[in-house]
Amino acid sequence: GAVVSQHPSWVICKSGTSVKIECRSLDFQATTMFWYRQFPKQSLMLMATSNEGSKATYEQGVEKDKFLINHASLTLSTLTVTSAHPEDSSFYICSANPGLAGGREQYFGPGTRLTVT
Amino acid sequence: GESVGLHLPTLSVQEGDNSIINCAYSNSASDYFIWYKQESGKGPQFIIDIRSNMDKRQGQRVTVLLNKTVKHLSLQIAATQPGDSAVYFCAEIIYNQGGKLIFGQGTELSVKP
């Protein structure tokens, strides 16, 4: 149990376009989801906390207008990278939490590799 | 700012040997510490966690030690196997900060056959 999927697993887009990444909890309901970004040979950096039915909470330094997060249901959160630039190329990972407010039980998705040309 | 960091960025061990991966943290208010394993191109995989009021916890072939005096966390892997080759991250949870995970730098473990 506790499977989190992401789609797509990899995507290549042109500079200036927008890309949407989906995160789904397949066998549990997730009231909280988290979005991370990971550059090569670096750690995971938390971008935002997504709560079902409410606005996402962004970490300091993360542009909310550039990285749009929508958590419209208990099994789906989406991250849209708007007006993508080459420096947005990264590995984006989501995690889902079945509890009310985060905690140990975070299940991670397989990640989405974004390349902006 | 507060962060969780690691002493060694890379670690190479011989198959069958024991591995020790270290992590230093700076936030005394952390509630839990977790070790994750990340293989290339994949998401992190939970290994083991330890509550802040404990000093040792054992799992299958893994042991986590917590020394709150010096704010140090370690992951010991017994009889390391080639399949253990990956990047290992420690992370901390602070519940009064929304329960979000703060990840450390990471250590790349390479197991030689």
Coordinates of all heavy atoms in Angstrom, one line a residue, chain B residues 15-88:
Chain B
E15 N 31.9 -4.9 -0.3 CA 30.7 -5.7 0.0 C 31.0 -6.6 1.2 O 32.1 -7.2 1.4 CB 30.5 -6.6 -1.2 CG 29.3 -7.5 -1.1 CD 29.0 -8.4 -2.3 OE1 29.8 -8.2 -3.3 OE2 28.0 -9.1 -2.3
G16 N 30.0 -6.6 2.1 CA 30.1 -7.4 3.3 C 30.5 -6.7 4.5 O 30.3 -7.1 5.6
D17 N 31.2 -5.5 4.3 CA 31.6 -4.7 5.4 C 30.4 -3.9 5.9 O 29.3 -3.8 5.3 CB 32.7 -3.7 5.0 CG 34.0 -4.3 4.7 OD1 34.1 -5.5 5.0 OD2 34.9 -3.7 4.2
N18 N 30.6 -3.3 7.1 CA 29.5 -2.5 7.7 C 29.8 -1.0 7.2 O 30.9 -0.6 7.0 CB 29.6 -2.5 9.2 CG 29.2 -3.9 9.7 OD1 28.5 -4.7 9.0 ND2 29.7 -4.2 10.9
S19 N 28.7 -0.3 7.0 CA 28.8 1.1 6.6 C 28.2 2.0 7.7 O 27.2 1.6 8.3 CB 27.9 1.3 5.3 OG 28.4 0.5 4.2
I20 N 28.8 3.1 7.8 CA 28.3 4.1 8.8 C 28.2 5.5 8.1 O 29.2 6.0 7.5 CB 29.2 4.3 10.0 CG1 29.3 3.0 10.7 CG2 28.7 5.4 10.9 CD1 30.3 3.0 11.9
I21 N 27.0 6.0 8.0 CA 26.7 7.3 7.4 C 26.3 8.2 8.5 O 25.5 7.9 9.3 CB 25.6 7.1 6.3 CG1 26.0 6.1 5.2 CG2 25.3 8.5 5.7 CD1 24.9 5.8 4.3
N22 N 26.9 9.4 8.5 CA 26.7 10.4 9.5 C 25.9 11.6 9.1 O 25.9 11.9 7.9 CB 28.1 10.8 10.1 CG 28.9 9.7 10.7 OD1 28.4 9.1 11.6 ND2 30.1 9.4 10.1
C23 N 25.4 12.2 10.1 CA 24.5 13.4 9.8 C 24.6 14.3 11.1 O 24.5 13.8 12.2 CB 23.1 13.0 9.5 SG 22.0 14.3 9.3
A24 N 24.8 15.6 10.8 CA 24.8 16.6 11.9 C 23.6 17.4 11.8 O 23.2 17.8 10.6 CB 26.0 17.4 11.9
Y25 N 22.9 17.7 12.9 CA 21.7 18.6 12.8 C 21.9 19.8 13.7 O 22.7 19.7 14.7 CB 20.4 17.8 13.0 CG 20.3 17.3 14.4 CD1 19.7 18.0 15.4 CD2 20.8 16.1 14.8 CE1 19.5 17.5 16.7 CE2 20.7 15.6 16.1 CZ 20.1 16.3 17.0 OH 20.0 15.8 18.3
S26 N 21.1 20.8 13.5 CA 21.3 22.0 14.4 C 20.1 22.4 15.1 O 20.2 23.2 16.1 CB 21.8 23.2 13.5 OG 20.9 23.4 12.5
N27 N 18.9 21.8 14.8 CA 17.7 22.2 15.4 C 17.3 21.3 16.6 O 17.0 20.1 16.4 CB 16.6 22.2 14.4 CG 15.3 22.9 14.9 OD1 15.0 22.9 16.1 ND2 14.6 23.5 14.0
S28 N 17.4 21.8 17.8 CA 17.1 21.0 19.0 C 15.6 20.6 19.1 O 15.3 19.7 19.9 CB 17.6 21.7 20.2 OG 18.9 22.0 20.2
A29 N 14.8 21.3 18.3 CA 13.4 21.1 18.5 C 12.8 20.0 17.5 O 11.6 19.8 17.5 CB 12.6 22.4 18.1
S30 N 13.7 19.3 16.8 CA 13.2 18.3 15.9 C 12.5 17.1 16.7 O 13.0 16.7 17.7 CB 14.4 17.7 15.1 OG 15.1 18.7 14.4
D31 N 11.4 16.7 16.1 CA 10.7 15.6 16.8 C 11.0 14.2 16.4 O 11.0 13.3 17.2 CB 9.2 15.9 16.5 CG 8.7 17.2 17.0 OD1 8.6 17.3 18.3 OD2 8.4 18.1 16.2
Y32 N 11.4 14.1 15.1 CA 11.7 12.8 14.6 C 12.9 13.0 13.6 O 13.0 14.1 12.9 CB 10.6 12.2 13.8 CG 9.7 11.3 14.6 CD1 8.5 11.8 15.2 CD2 10.0 9.9 14.8 CE1 7.7 10.9 15.9 CE2 9.1 9.1 15.5 CZ 8.0 9.6 16.1 OH 7.2 8.8 16.8
F33 N 13.7 12.0 13.4 CA 14.7 12.0 12.4 C 14.5 10.7 11.5 O 14.1 9.7 12.1 CB 16.1 11.9 13.0 CG 16.4 13.1 13.9 CD1 16.1 13.1 15.2 CD2 17.0 14.2 13.3 CE1 16.4 14.2 16.0 CE2 17.2 15.4 14.1 CZ 17.0 15.3 15.5
I34 N 14.7 10.9 10.3 CA 14.4 9.8 9.3 C 15.5 9.7 8.4 O 16.2 10.7 7.9 CB 13.1 10.1 8.5 CG1 11.9 10.5 9.4 CG2 12.7 9.0 7.6 CD1 10.7 10.9 8.7
W35 N 15.8 8.4 8.0 CA 16.8 8.1 7.0 C 16.1 7.7 5.7 O 15.2 6.8 5.8 CB 17.8 7.1 7.4 CG 18.9 7.6 8.3 CD1 18.9 7.5 9.7 CD2 20.0 8.3 7.9 NE1 20.1 8.1 10.2 CE2 20.8 8.6 9.1 CE3 20.6 8.7 6.7 CZ2 22.0 9.3 9.1 CZ3 21.8 9.4 6.7 CH2 22.5 9.7 7.9
Y36 N 16.5 8.2 4.6 CA 15.9 7.8 3.3 C 17.1 7.4 2.4 O 18.2 7.8 2.5 CB 15.3 9.0 2.6 CG 13.9 9.4 3.2 CD1 13.9 10.4 4.2 CD2 12.8 8.8 2.8 CE1 12.6 10.8 4.7 CE2 11.5 9.2 3.4 CZ 11.5 10.2 4.3 OH 10.3 10.6 4.8
K37 N 16.7 6.4 1.5 CA 17.6 6.0 0.5 C 17.0 6.4 -0.9 O 15.9 6.3 -1.1 CB 17.7 4.4 0.5 CG 18.4 3.8 -0.6 CD 18.3 2.2 -0.5 CE 19.0 1.5 -1.6 NZ 18.8 0.1 -1.5
Q38 N 17.9 7.0 -1.7 CA 17.5 7.4 -3.0 C 18.4 6.8 -4.1 O 19.6 7.1 -4.1 CB 17.4 8.9 -3.1 CG 16.8 9.4 -4.4 CD 16.8 10.9 -4.6 OE1 17.7 11.6 -4.0 NE2 15.9 11.4 -5.3
E39 N 17.8 6.0 -4.9 CA 18.5 5.4 -6.1 C 18.4 6.4 -7.2 O 17.5 7.2 -7.3 CB 18.0 4.1 -6.4 CG 18.2 3.1 -5.3 CD 17.6 1.7 -5.6 OE1 16.4 1.7 -6.1 OE2 18.2 0.7 -5.3
S40 N 19.3 6.3 -8.1 CA 19.4 7.3 -9.2 C 18.1 7.4 -10.0 O 17.5 6.3 -10.4 CB 20.5 6.9 -10.2 OG 20.7 7.8 -11.2
G41 N 17.6 8.6 -10.2 CA 16.4 8.8 -10.9 C 15.1 8.4 -10.3 O 14.0 8.3 -10.9
K42 N 15.1 8.1 -9.0 CA 13.9 7.7 -8.3 C 13.7 8.6 -7.1 O 14.5 9.4 -6.7 CB 14.1 6.3 -7.8 CG 14.2 5.2 -8.9 CD 14.3 3.8 -8.3 CE 14.5 2.8 -9.5 NZ 14.5 1.4 -8.9
G43 N 12.5 8.5 -6.5 CA 12.2 9.2 -5.3 C 12.8 8.6 -4.1 O 13.2 7.4 -4.1
P44 N 12.8 9.3 -3.0 CA 13.4 8.7 -1.7 C 12.6 7.6 -1.2 O 11.3 7.6 -1.3 CB 13.4 9.9 -0.8 CG 13.3 11.1 -1.6 CD 12.5 10.7 -2.8
Q45 N 13.2 6.7 -0.6 CA 12.6 5.5 0.0 C 12.9 5.5 1.5 O 14.0 5.6 1.9 CB 13.1 4.2 -0.7 CG 12.6 2.9 -0.1 CD 13.3 1.7 -0.8 OE1 14.2 1.9 -1.6 NE2 12.9 0.5 -0.4
F46 N 11.8 5.4 2.3 CA 12.0 5.3 3.8 C 12.8 4.1 4.2 O 12.6 3.0 3.7 CB 10.6 5.3 4.4 CG 10.6 5.1 5.9 CD1 10.6 6.2 6.7 CD2 10.6 3.9 6.5 CE1 10.6 6.1 8.1 CE2 10.6 3.7 7.8 CZ 10.5 4.8 8.7
I47 N 13.8 4.4 5.1 CA 14.6 3.3 5.7 C 14.2 3.0 7.1 O 13.8 1.9 7.5 CB 16.1 3.6 5.6 CG1 16.5 3.8 4.2 CG2 16.9 2.4 6.2 CD1 18.0 4.3 4.0
I48 N 14.4 4.0 7.9 CA 14.1 3.9 9.3 C 14.0 5.3 10.0 O 14.5 6.3 9.4 CB 15.3 3.1 10.0 CG1 14.9 2.7 11.5 CG2 16.6 3.9 10.0 CD1 15.9 1.7 12.1
D49 N 13.3 5.4 11.0 CA 13.2 6.7 11.7 C 13.4 6.5 13.2 O 13.5 5.3 13.7 CB 11.9 7.4 11.5 CG 10.7 6.6 12.0 OD1 10.9 5.5 12.7 OD2 9.5 7.0 11.8
I50 N 13.7 7.6 13.9 CA 13.9 7.5 15.3 C 13.3 8.8 16.0 O 13.4 9.9 15.5 CB 15.4 7.4 15.7 CG1 15.6 7.2 17.2 CG2 16.2 8.6 15.2 CD1 17.0 6.8 17.5
R51 N 12.6 8.5 17.1 CA 12.0 9.7 17.8 C 13.1 10.4 18.5 O 14.1 9.8 19.0 CB 10.9 9.1 18.7 CG 10.0 10.2 19.3 CD 8.8 9.6 20.0 NE 8.0 10.6 20.5 CZ 6.7 10.4 21.0 NH1 6.2 9.2 20.9 NH2 6.0 11.4 21.4
S52 N 12.9 11.6 18.8 CA 13.9 12.5 19.4 C 14.2 12.1 20.8 O 15.3 12.4 21.4 CB 13.5 13.9 19.3 OG 12.3 14.2 20.0
N53 N 13.3 11.3 21.5 CA 13.6 10.9 22.9 C 14.2 9.6 23.0 O 14.3 9.0 24.1 CB 12.3 11.0 23.7 CG 11.3 10.0 23.2 OD1 11.5 9.4 22.2 ND2 10.2 10.0 23.9
M54 N 14.6 9.0 21.8 CA 15.3 7.7 21.8 C 16.8 8.0 21.4 O 17.1 9.0 20.8 CB 14.7 6.8 20.8 CG 13.2 6.5 21.2 SD 12.4 5.6 19.8 CE 13.3 4.0 19.9
D55 N 17.7 7.0 21.7 CA 19.0 7.1 21.2 C 19.4 6.0 20.3 O 20.5 6.1 19.7 CB 20.0 7.2 22.4 CG 19.8 6.0 23.4 OD1 19.3 5.0 23.0 OD2 20.2 6.2 24.6
K56 N 18.6 5.0 20.1 CA 19.0 3.9 19.2 C 17.7 3.2 18.8 O 16.7 3.0 19.5 CB 19.9 2.9 20.0 CG 20.3 1.7 19.1 CD 21.2 0.8 19.9 CE 21.7 -0.4 19.1 NZ 22.6 -1.3 19.9
R57 N 17.7 2.8 17.5 CA 16.6 2.0 17.0 C 17.2 1.1 15.9 O 18.0 1.5 15.1 CB 15.5 2.9 16.4 CG 14.3 2.1 16.0 CD 13.1 3.0 15.8 NE 11.9 2.2 15.6 CZ 11.0 2.4 14.6 NH1 11.2 3.4 13.8 NH2 10.0 1.6 14.5
Q58 N 16.7 -0.1 15.9 CA 17.2 -1.1 15.0 C 16.2 -1.6 14.0 O 15.0 -1.8 14.4 CB 17.8 -2.3 15.7 CG 19.2 -2.0 16.4 CD 19.8 -3.3 17.1 OE1 19.2 -3.8 18.0 NE2 20.9 -3.7 16.5
G59 N 16.6 -1.8 12.8 CA 15.7 -2.4 11.8 C 16.4 -3.6 11.2 O 17.4 -4.2 11.8
Q60 N 15.9 -4.0 10.1 CA 16.6 -5.1 9.4 C 17.9 -4.7 8.7 O 17.9 -3.9 7.8 CB 15.7 -5.7 8.3 CG 16.2 -7.0 7.7 CD 15.2 -7.5 6.6 OE1 14.2 -6.9 6.3 NE2 15.4 -8.7 6.2
R61 N 19.0 -5.1 9.3 CA 20.4 -4.7 8.8 C 20.7 -3.3 9.0 O 21.8 -2.8 8.7 CB 20.6 -5.1 7.3 CG 20.9 -6.5 7.0 CD 21.6 -6.7 5.7 NE 21.0 -6.0 4.6 CZ 21.5 -5.1 3.8 NH1 22.8 -4.7 4.1 NH2 20.9 -4.6 2.8
V62 N 19.8 -2.5 9.6 CA 20.1 -1.1 9.8 C 19.9 -0.7 11.2 O 19.0 -1.2 11.9 CB 19.3 -0.2 8.9 CG1 19.7 -0.3 7.4 CG2 17.8 -0.4 9.1
T63 N 20.7 0.2 11.7 CA 20.6 0.8 13.0 C 20.8 2.3 13.0 O 21.7 2.7 12.3 CB 21.7 0.2 14.0 OG1 21.5 -1.2 14.0 CG2 21.5 0.7 15.4
V64 N 19.9 3.0 13.6 CA 20.1 4.4 13.7 C 20.4 4.8 15.1 O 19.8 4.3 16.1 CB 18.8 5.2 13.2 CG1 17.6 4.8 13.9 CG2 19.0 6.7 13.3
L65 N 21.5 5.6 15.2 CA 21.9 6.1 16.5 C 21.7 7.7 16.6 O 22.0 8.4 15.6 CB 23.4 5.8 16.8 CG 23.7 4.3 16.8 CD1 25.2 4.2 17.0 CD2 23.0 3.6 17.9
L66 N 21.2 8.1 17.7 CA 21.0 9.5 17.9 C 21.7 10.0 19.1 O 21.5 9.5 20.2 CB 19.5 9.8 18.0 CG 19.1 11.3 18.3 CD1 19.5 12.2 17.2 CD2 17.6 11.3 18.6
N67 N 22.6 11.0 19.0 CA 23.3 11.6 20.1 C 22.9 13.1 20.2 O 23.4 13.9 19.4 CB 24.8 11.5 19.9 CG 25.6 12.0 21.1 OD1 25.1 12.8 21.8 ND2 26.8 11.4 21.3
K68 N 21.9 13.3 21.1 CA 21.4 14.7 21.2 C 22.4 15.7 21.8 O 22.3 16.9 21.6 CB 20.1 14.7 22.0 CG 19.0 13.9 21.2 CD 17.7 14.0 22.0 CE 17.7 13.1 23.2 NZ 17.8 11.6 22.8
T69 N 23.3 15.1 22.5 CA 24.3 16.0 23.2 C 25.2 16.7 22.2 O 25.4 17.9 22.3 CB 25.3 15.2 24.1 OG1 24.5 14.5 25.1 CG2 26.3 16.1 24.8
V70 N 25.6 16.0 21.1 CA 26.4 16.6 20.1 C 25.6 16.8 18.8 O 26.2 17.2 17.7 CB 27.7 15.8 19.8 CG1 28.5 15.8 21.0 CG2 27.3 14.4 19.4
K71 N 24.3 16.6 18.8 CA 23.4 16.8 17.7 C 23.9 16.0 16.5 O 24.2 16.5 15.4 CB 23.2 18.2 17.3 CG 22.6 19.0 18.5 CD 22.4 20.5 18.1 CE 21.8 21.3 19.2 NZ 21.7 22.7 19.0
H72 N 24.0 14.7 16.7 CA 24.6 13.8 15.7 C 23.7 12.6 15.5 O 23.2 12.0 16.4 CB 26.0 13.4 16.1 CG 26.7 12.6 15.0 ND1 26.7 11.2 15.0 CD2 27.5 13.0 14.0 CE1 27.4 10.8 14.0 NE2 27.9 11.8 13.4
L73 N 23.6 12.2 14.2 CA 22.7 11.1 13.8 C 23.5 10.2 12.9 O 24.3 10.7 12.1 CB 21.5 11.6 13.1 CG 20.4 10.7 12.7 CD1 19.6 10.3 13.9 CD2 19.5 11.4 11.7
S74 N 23.4 8.9 13.1 CA 24.1 8.0 12.2 C 23.3 6.8 11.7 O 22.3 6.5 12.5 CB 25.4 7.5 12.8 OG 25.1 6.6 13.9
L75 N 23.6 6.3 10.6 CA 22.9 5.2 10.0 C 24.0 4.1 9.8 O 25.0 4.3 9.1 CB 22.2 5.5 8.7 CG 21.6 4.3 8.0 CD1 20.3 3.8 8.8 CD2 21.2 4.6 6.6
Q76 N 23.8 3.0 10.4 CA 24.7 1.9 10.3 C 24.0 0.8 9.5 O 22.9 0.4 9.8 CB 25.1 1.3 11.7 CG 25.8 2.3 12.5 CD 26.2 1.8 13.9 OE1 26.0 0.6 14.2 NE2 26.8 2.6 14.7
I77 N 24.7 0.3 8.4 CA 24.2 -0.7 7.6 C 25.1 -1.9 7.7 O 26.3 -1.8 7.5 CB 24.2 -0.3 6.1 CG1 23.3 1.0 5.9 CG2 23.6 -1.4 5.2 CD1 23.4 1.5 4.5
A78 N 24.6 -3.0 8.2 CA 25.4 -4.2 8.4 C 25.5 -5.0 7.1 O 24.6 -5.1 6.3 CB 24.8 -5.1 9.5
A79 N 26.7 -5.6 6.9 CA 26.9 -6.5 5.8 C 26.4 -5.9 4.5 O 25.5 -6.4 3.8 CB 26.2 -7.9 6.0
T80 N 27.0 -4.7 4.2 CA 26.6 -3.9 3.0 C 26.6 -4.7 1.7 O 27.6 -5.5 1.5 CB 27.5 -2.7 2.9 OG1 27.7 -2.1 4.2 CG2 26.9 -1.7 2.0
Q81 N 25.6 -4.6 0.9 CA 25.4 -5.3 -0.3 C 25.5 -4.3 -1.5 O 25.2 -3.1 -1.3 CB 24.1 -6.1 -0.3 CG 24.0 -7.0 0.9 CD 22.6 -7.5 1.0 OE1 21.7 -7.2 0.3 NE2 22.4 -8.4 2.0
P82 N 25.8 -4.8 -2.7 CA 25.8 -3.9 -3.9 C 24.4 -3.2 -4.0 O 24.4 -2.0 -4.5 CB 26.0 -4.9 -5.0 CG 26.8 -6.0 -4.4 CD 26.3 -6.1 -3.0
G83 N 23.3 -3.8 -3.7 CA 22.0 -3.1 -3.8 C 21.8 -2.0 -2.8 O 20.9 -1.2 -2.9
D84 N 22.8 -1.8 -1.9 CA 22.7 -0.7 -0.9 C 23.3 0.6 -1.5 O 23.2 1.6 -1.0 CB 23.5 -1.0 0.4 CG 22.8 -2.2 1.2 OD1 21.6 -2.3 1.1 OD2 23.5 -2.9 1.8
S85 N 24.0 0.4 -2.7 CA 24.6 1.6 -3.3 C 23.5 2.6 -3.7 O 22.5 2.3 -4.4 CB 25.3 1.2 -4.6 OG 26.4 0.4 -4.3
A86 N 23.6 3.8 -3.2 CA 22.6 4.8 -3.4 C 23.0 6.1 -2.7 O 24.1 6.1 -2.1 CB 21.2 4.4 -2.9
V87 N 22.2 7.1 -2.7 CA 22.4 8.3 -1.9 C 21.5 8.2 -0.7 O 20.3 7.9 -0.8 CB 22.2 9.6 -2.7 CG1 22.4 10.8 -1.8 CG2 23.1 9.7 -3.9
Y88 N 22.1 8.5 0.5 CA 21.3 8.4 1.7 C 21.2 9.8 2.3 O 22.2 10.6 2.4 CB 22.0 7.5 2.7 CG 22.0 6.0 2.3 CD1 22.8 5.5 1.3 CD2 21.0 5.2 2.8 CE1 22.8 4.2 0.9 CE2 20.9 3.9 2.4 CZ 21.8 3.4 1.5 OH 21.7 2.1 1.0

